[in-house]
């Protein structure tokens, strides 16, 4: 699943709002921006639950355990593809595509393949 759309043509990557020329891109990467934060919240919630387990109702303990298990799972699943070039350095536009990590990784491989097939044309 991708929020928006990504279309790879012979010379450009077109998203739901912008187009990026393949010849201008230097790095295409997929990141998990929420993984560290979700792990932090998960460990913090686990510590809170462990500290106050004697005061919590069983439903609250179950809710804390569910959060401790689901937060890192969501952090692992959500991804962001970043398209970097000299022109986009420091720009918010370089990371506009969000979706599931697995799907975005497949899109990254497609972009990389399109960049490799275009490379001989640019060297002429």
């Amino acid at each position: 699943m991708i929020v928006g759309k990504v279309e790879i043509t012979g010379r450009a990557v077109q998203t739901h709002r912008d187009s990026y020329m393949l010849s201008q891109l230097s790095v295409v990467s997929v990141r998990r921006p929420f993984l560290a934060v979700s792990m932090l919240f998960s460990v913090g919630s686990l510590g809170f639950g462990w500290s106050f387990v004697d005061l919590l109702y069983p439903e609250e303990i179950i809710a804390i355990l569910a959060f401790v298990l689901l937060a890192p799972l969501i952090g692992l699943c959500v991804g962001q593809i970043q398209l970097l070039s000299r022109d986009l350095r420091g720009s918010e536009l370089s990371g506009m595509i969000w979706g599931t990590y697995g799907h975005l990784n497949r899109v990254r491989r497609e972009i990389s393949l399109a960049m490799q097939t275009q490379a001989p044309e640019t060297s002429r």
Side-chain angles (χ1 to χ4, degrees), residues 105-123:
N105 218 8
R106 285 190 294 276
V107 170
R108 178 193 58 82
R109 282 191 225 110
E110 290 175 20
I111 293 171
S112 177
L113 184 63
M115 289 171 66
Q116 288 174 1
T117 58
Q118 185 191 20
E121 296 173 10
T122 57
S123 63

Side-chain angles (χ1 to χ4, degrees), residues 61-119:
I61 294 171
I62 291 171
I64 288 173
L65 288 176
F67 180 77
V68 164
L69 295 175
L70 286 177
L73 203 69
I74 291 170
L76 280 172
C77 290
V78 175
Q80 177 188 35
I81 197 166
Q82 293 188 332
L83 307 170
L84 301 176
S85 71
R86 266 186 269 129
D87 299 335
L88 295 174
R89 193 156 305 190
S91 171
E92 294 179 7
L93 295 176
S94 64
M96 295 300 293
I97 307 165
W98 290 83
T100 57
Y101 182 79
H103 192 171
L104 290 176
N105 218 8
R106 285 190 294 276
V107 170
R108 178 193 58 82
R109 282 191 225 110
E110 290 175 20
I111 293 171
S112 177
L113 184 63
M115 289 171 66
Q116 288 174 1
T117 58
Q118 185 191 20

Side-chain angles (χ1 to χ4, degrees), residues 3-16:
V3 178
K5 72 170 188 145
V6 177
E7 196 174 313
I8 303 161
T9 63
R11 302 184 75 169
V13 176
Q14 298 174 354
T15 67
H16 56 284

Side-chain angles (χ1 to χ4, degrees), residues 39-69:
M39 293 298 288
L40 182 68
F41 281 140
S42 183
V43 169
S45 297
L46 188 62
F48 174 83
W50 185 262
S51 298
F52 296 105
V53 71
D54 56 337
L55 301 174
L56 296 172
Y57 290 110
E59 296 85 14
E60 294 171 332
I61 294 171
I62 291 171
I64 288 173
L65 288 176
F67 180 77
V68 164
L69 295 175

